[in-house]
Structure formats: structure tokens, C-alpha cells
Amino acid sequence: MPGTLAYMPDGGAAVDAVDAVWRRDSASMLGVLARRLGDLDRAEEAMQDALTEALKHWAEQGVPANPAGWLVTTAWRKAVDRARRDATGQEKLARVAAQPAPEPTDDDRLALIFACCHPALPQPAQVALTLHAASGLATEEIAAAFLMPTTTMAQRLVRAKRRLRDTGVRFEPPESAEYDERLPAVLAVIYLVFNEGYLASGRDQPQRRELAREGLDLARQLADLMPTEPEAAGLAALLELHEARAGTRFDDAGRIVLLEDQDRRRWDRMLIGTAVARLGAAVARARPGPYQVQAGIAAQHALARSFDETDWAAIRQFYDLLYDLQPGPVTLLNRAVATRYTHGAALALAEVEALRESLGEYRLLHATRAELLRALGREDEAAAALRRALALATNPAERELLSRRLATR
């Protein structure tokens, strides 16, 4: 066994250590096991066995110097043991047992994502499976992101893994010719991973910084892997711009601080500069895409010296371009926010009202509508809209903000 960093006599510390390495390295660990075993289910079973053993072993003997390597080696041994017990797995056993224990790498992480985004799966299943396998999100969390019951999401994940196995998908990086077909789902996955960390969908905590950082790291890796793909760079720039102000989004009590109230002196100007330069290089390739446009919107906010100096006209034009590239009611809702500052609250409210049928269960529609109604002096309607938004919100910080607004109306 590798040398230890610290002795950990209590199980609680072992749990924390296992959780930390799983959050950080789950994708690369599962990726290398799936590549060697040729089956994501087998990889997950072996990894689960390894995690269970780590809880006991690390509590007694301490955390290994290379915890991810320890887990993969243990999982590999468990996979071989399972193959020996499985009468139908003898042919696979000969191939598996002859190989040395693998070492996880970042390439395995990206290979796992591309495998989960294989065109044999419909895109919703691609996104859900990659969130599950590459980011360690629980089925309940993924279900919340998709606004569907947990049982339905669990069935989707089972079907997706079975389809990959039956199709014979290999957990290897795709050939360059396949990138265009599979890149949109990969970008969507990384964006959802970051968003789940940036503003968590569950009720337990307002944000999950480690998950947001993982999304950002994945985006940067993908941009490095595909240096001629402007949308990969656009997504990395977008997440960097969001990350640059992450430290000002919540106060010391965990309450949301709105953009207009954030202390811009605390924004990470170096990271903003990196993101703007990355975005400029992507735009220079003259192949616009939704992530580049969203990064352009984020850059307008990041570069404004104050909220009052924000170029809302430019932002509204960006939303028009985004709608042309990726039509959808949420884009129009966001454009309505810009409309408030360019054309007034009345026109903005009219734009929001037109979306009520398509976004009736979306909390931000009702929260936006409440702000516009209040700006127009329609206090009773604003309060009703706030109550509806509160009923739909799950994030604790969002709920606190909406409750605070109701209490101060």
C-alpha cells in the first residue's frame, strides 16, 4: 500500500476523505476502469466495492498518498474477483486478469464523457449519464436538474448504460471526425455540471464550489484538447467569467447578493482578463455559437465599472443573436431583463407575460415578473408572483431571497 499522509482513527474522517477524492477524481477513475473493462456498469460496481473498502481501511491506516490510485487498484482487484465468481465471465476474466492495474489520467476523464455522449444515446440520456458517471452527481440531483421524478431518472440511467453495453461502445477518446457530432452534448454536460455547483438545485446547500470548479476544469481541458473549436473556448470563457465573481455572490450568512449589489473590487480581474482573451480568440475564428454569445453577455457585465454603467443595449442585442442560434423561451426571459433597462418595465413585462404559458413552472419567470410588477407599482400582483416563485424554488439561498422580498414589500 502507498505511504500515508495522516493517521485517521475515526470513520468520520475516512468518509470525508473518500468523499473528497470521489468528488475530485470520479471521472478519471471510472473512465480508466470502463476503458479496461469495456463496461460502465462493471466499472461502477468495482468502484463501489473499492469505496466501501476504503472507508474501513483509511479509517484504520490513514489516507494513501495517492488515494485515486489506491481506489483504482483496489477496484481493479475487485473487478477481477467478480469475474472469477461469474461463470459467464471466464472469457472476460482471461483478458482482464492479464492486465496490470491501470492508472487514471485526465484523458480517461474526457474519454468517459465522450463515451457517455455517444450518438447511440438520445441527448437527454447522454447528459444525464455523463452527470452521473463523470461528476458523481446522485440520481436525485440529476432528476432535479431535469425537473423529473427520481424514479424516472433512475430508469433513464439504467437504459443508457445498457444501451452503451449492447452497442459495444468503447471508452476511448473519439476520432477527430466524430467531434462535431458529439461535442454539443459534451458542452451541455459540462455547463450543467458547473451550473449545479454555481447554484445547487437541492435544498441542502446554496452552492457546491467543488462541483463548479470541476465543471470549469473540464471546460478548460476540453478547450485545450480542441484548440480549433471556438465553442469549446466559448464555454471555458463563459465559466471563467462566472467564476471570477463567485466570491461575491453570497454574503457571510450564505444569502444571495444580487449583481447590482456585488462588490466589483473583489472580482477576479486576472481571471476576467484571461476569459476575455480566450473569447476574443474564439470569436476571431468567425464560427459563432451559443456559448460564445453567452460569454459575450457575461463579459459585458464583467467589464462594466458599475451596474449603472452596464451596456444593456449590447446585452439585449446579444440575446437576440442567442435566440437566432438557439431559440427558446428562457432566452427571451433573459432578454426581457435587458429590455427593462433599455425600454422600460412596461415593455419588459409585456415580453414576460407572453412567456407565461411556456414557462409557467419556471421559478425565475415569476421572480422576474414580480420585480417588473413592483417597478410598475402593482404591489399585490407582485406579491402573488413572489409567492409562486417561492413555491417553485428549491435552492435555500433563493428561497431566503424570495422570502425576504415578500417580507419587505
Side-chain angles (χ1 to χ4, degrees):
M1 175 182 146
T4 59
L5 295 178
Y7 181 67
M8 294 167 43
D10 67 285
V15 170
D16 291 343
V18 169
D19 182 68
V21 70
W22 177 250
R23 291 296 186 188
R24 185 181 66 247
D25 296 316
S26 60
S28 58
M29 293 189 297
L30 276 177
V32 70
L33 289 169
R35 174 167 57 82
R36 288 288 192 88
L37 296 169
D39 189 317
L40 182 56
D41 263 333
R42 286 179 180 270
E44 289 183 332
E45 289 171 355
M47 183 55 64
Q48 184 59 54
D49 288 344
L51 291 169
T52 301
E53 184 164 322
L55 289 174
K56 179 177 184 297
H57 194 89
W58 295 3
E60 295 174 349
Q61 300 190 34
V63 182
N66 179 6
W70 189 98
L71 283 168
V72 169
T73 298
T74 303
W76 184 253
R77 188 181 71 246
K78 298 291 187 181
V80 173
D81 290 344
R82 278 180 179 268
R84 288 196 177 103
R85 294 194 301 268
D86 185 358
T88 64
Q90 294 305 308
E91 182 179 349
K92 181 179 288 291
L93 171 62
R95 178 171 60 82
V96 169
Q99 302 179 62
E103 186 71 23
T105 68
D106 285 340
D107 285 345
D108 291 307
R109 175 185 295 187
L110 290 171
L112 177 65
I113 293 175
F114 272 103
C116 291
C117 295
H118 194 277
L121 301 176
Q123 192 174 69
Q126 294 172 353
V127 174
L129 182 59
T130 311
L131 283 170
H132 171 71
S135 298
L137 285 185
T139 304
E140 294 81 1
E141 294 171 303
I142 306 171
F146 279 85
L147 303 178
M148 65 172 54
T150 300
T151 53
T152 303
M153 179 55 66
Q155 292 168 357
R156 174 177 290 182
L157 290 169
V158 169
R159 288 194 299 267
K161 287 186 281 189
R162 184 185 301 129
R163 182 66 179 273
L164 288 183
R165 182 177 63 248
D166 294 345
T167 307
V169 172
R170 298 182 63 192
F171 291 80
E172 302 280 358
E175 299 295 330
S176 57
E178 297 180 83
Y179 279 143
D180 287 346
E181 182 180 19
R182 293 166 65 179
L183 181 61
V186 173
L187 295 172
V189 166
I190 295 173
Y191 197 23
L192 277 176
V193 170
F194 181 86
N195 281 341
E196 176 62 28
Y198 201 62
L199 189 68
S201 59
R203 295 177 180 270
D204 296 334
Q205 49 190 325
Q207 60 178 339
R208 297 172 58 185
R209 296 303 307 134
E210 78 287 350
L211 193 56
R213 284 189 288 269
E214 179 176 352
L216 176 57
D217 183 54
L218 284 169
R220 285 169 163 168
Q221 289 183 51
L222 191 65
D224 290 342
L225 180 69
M226 307 176 68
T228 62
E229 175 50 59
E231 275 293 82
L235 177 61
L238 172 62
L239 302 193
E240 286 172 336
L241 288 163
H242 286 323
E243 185 68 15
R245 64 181 185 89
T248 64
R249 294 178 59 246
F250 295 89
D251 64 16
D252 292 339
R255 296 174 299 191
I256 289 176
V257 180
L258 298 176
L259 179 62
E260 59 198 85
D261 299 320
Q262 291 174 14
D263 183 355
R264 297 180 181 227
R265 295 170 299 179
R266 294 175 53 206
W267 289 1
D268 188 336
R269 293 295 167 185
M270 184 175 295
L271 186 54
I272 290 172
T274 298
V276 170
R278 188 193 296 275
L279 177 60
V283 171
R285 293 188 175 275
R287 289 161 50 201
Y291 292 107
Q292 294 170 73
V293 176
Q294 291 179 70
I297 294 169
Q300 289 294 327
H301 289 299
L303 295 174
R305 290 181 297 179
S306 68
F307 186 81
D308 291 338
E309 294 181 68
T310 304
D311 189 345
W312 290 104
I315 289 174
R316 194 170 188 273
Q317 289 176 348
F318 272 124
Y319 276 120
D320 285 335
L321 176 57
L322 181 60
Y323 187 79
D324 289 340
L325 292 168
Q326 195 177 62
V330 174
T331 299
L332 296 179
L333 177 63
N334 289 327
R335 189 188 69 168
V337 175
T339 298
R340 174 183 180 180
Y341 297 102
T342 58
H343 295 79
L347 180 58
L349 179 61
E351 292 179 354
V352 170
E353 296 288 11
L355 302 172
R356 289 182 69 180
E357 183 174 352
S358 57
L359 294 177
E361 298 301 308
Y362 186 45
R363 69 197 187 286
L364 295 183
L365 176 131
H366 300 285
T368 302
R369 184 169 175 268
E371 286 300 296
L372 296 172
L373 287 166
R374 192 170 191 177
L376 294 170
R378 295 160 63 175
E379 293 290 345
D380 290 342
E381 294 172 88
L386 279 174
R387 286 191 290 270
R388 181 59 179 152
L390 181 59
L392 294 170
T394 58
N395 182 279
E398 281 191 331
R399 292 182 58 81
E400 189 281 332
L401 174 64
L402 293 168
S403 297
R404 191 171 2 125
R405 286 178 171 176
L406 271 171
T408 58
R409 58 176 291 272

